[in-house]
Amino acid sequence: MNRFLVILTVLILMSCKNSTTKPTPFIEQKKMEDILYDMAVLYSIESVSAYSREDTLKKINVSAIYKKYDIDSLTFVSNNRYYVELGDGIYNKMQNNILARLEAAKVVADSLYNKFEANKEDQKAIEDALPQLEAEKTDSVQIQKK
């Protein structure tokens, strides 16, 4: 009889699995990814000392992200917990999608930076050549006057 009660108790405990219920209000997966992406960008900006000026950080903070998506912190936390507890690797897939977006943004940023640097080098070459061009122009004008 005792073995029967033990087995029954174990079966009952195993059946009492926490079910994951959708929070209210619910944030769709794509929108949640967008929120997490924006937060990743914000936290990376905050971690770079070159951009950690007080006036910049006052303009960009987590509450600005909440405002952008028309949610509050409790809604975010409950939905984030929902996706973490959902299982089937959903949250991991979301994080991989965010990582891919961050890497794509890095490629674009690097490309823009390289164009800026190339333009800067072209500008420097022009500035360096200007005195010589001015001297040649002056010499040319003097030759024409003679």
Side-chain angles (χ1 to χ4, degrees):
M1 180 77 168
N2 282 339
R3 274 199 319 181
F4 175 72
L5 286 175
V6 170
I7 292 173
L8 182 63
T9 304
V10 169
L11 288 174
I12 290 173
L13 289 176
M14 287 175 47
S15 68
C16 293
K17 179 182 165 187
N18 287 341
S19 62
T20 307
T21 57
K22 284 186 179 180
T24 304
F26 179 68
I27 301 173
E28 294 295 327
Q29 184 174 340
K30 176 66 177 133
K31 185 176 179 181
M32 190 67 179
E33 277 185 29
D34 292 340
I35 294 168
L36 291 170
Y37 173 82
D38 287 349
M39 287 188 170
V41 171
L42 173 64
Y43 293 141
S44 66
I45 289 171
E46 288 177 345
S47 69
V48 176
S49 61
Y51 297 105
S52 63
R53 295 183 21 208
E54 285 185 28
D55 59 335
T56 304
L57 294 178
K58 287 180 185 174
K59 294 177 189 173
I60 307 171
N61 57 31
V62 176
S63 62
I65 294 173
Y66 295 150
K67 186 176 180 180
K68 176 181 176 182
Y69 292 99
D70 195 29
I71 60 172
D72 58 19
S73 60
L74 183 60
T75 301
F76 171 75
V77 169
S78 62
N79 278 271
N80 194 47
R81 180 178 297 142
Y82 168 76
Y83 284 109
V84 168
E85 293 174 353
L86 199 55
D88 296 331
I90 300 288
Y91 198 75
N92 190 30
K93 290 175 190 172
M94 290 171 64
Q95 293 297 325
N96 287 335
N97 292 341
I98 292 165
L99 182 59
R101 287 174 64 184
L102 289 169
E103 288 172 354
K106 181 186 179 305
V107 168
V108 170
D110 287 345
S111 171
L112 291 173
Y113 178 77
N114 291 336
K115 285 181 183 178
F116 172 77
E117 285 298 314
N119 190 20
K120 201 163 123 179
E121 289 173 12
D122 291 344
Q123 184 69 28
K124 176 135 177 60
I126 292 170
E127 289 172 1
D128 291 345
L130 275 177
Q132 183 180 353
L133 292 173
E134 287 294 325
E136 289 175 8
K137 180 180 173 186
T138 305
D139 292 343
S140 168
V141 169
Q142 289 176 355
I143 293 172
Q144 287 178 356
K145 286 183 181 180
K146 290 181 181 180

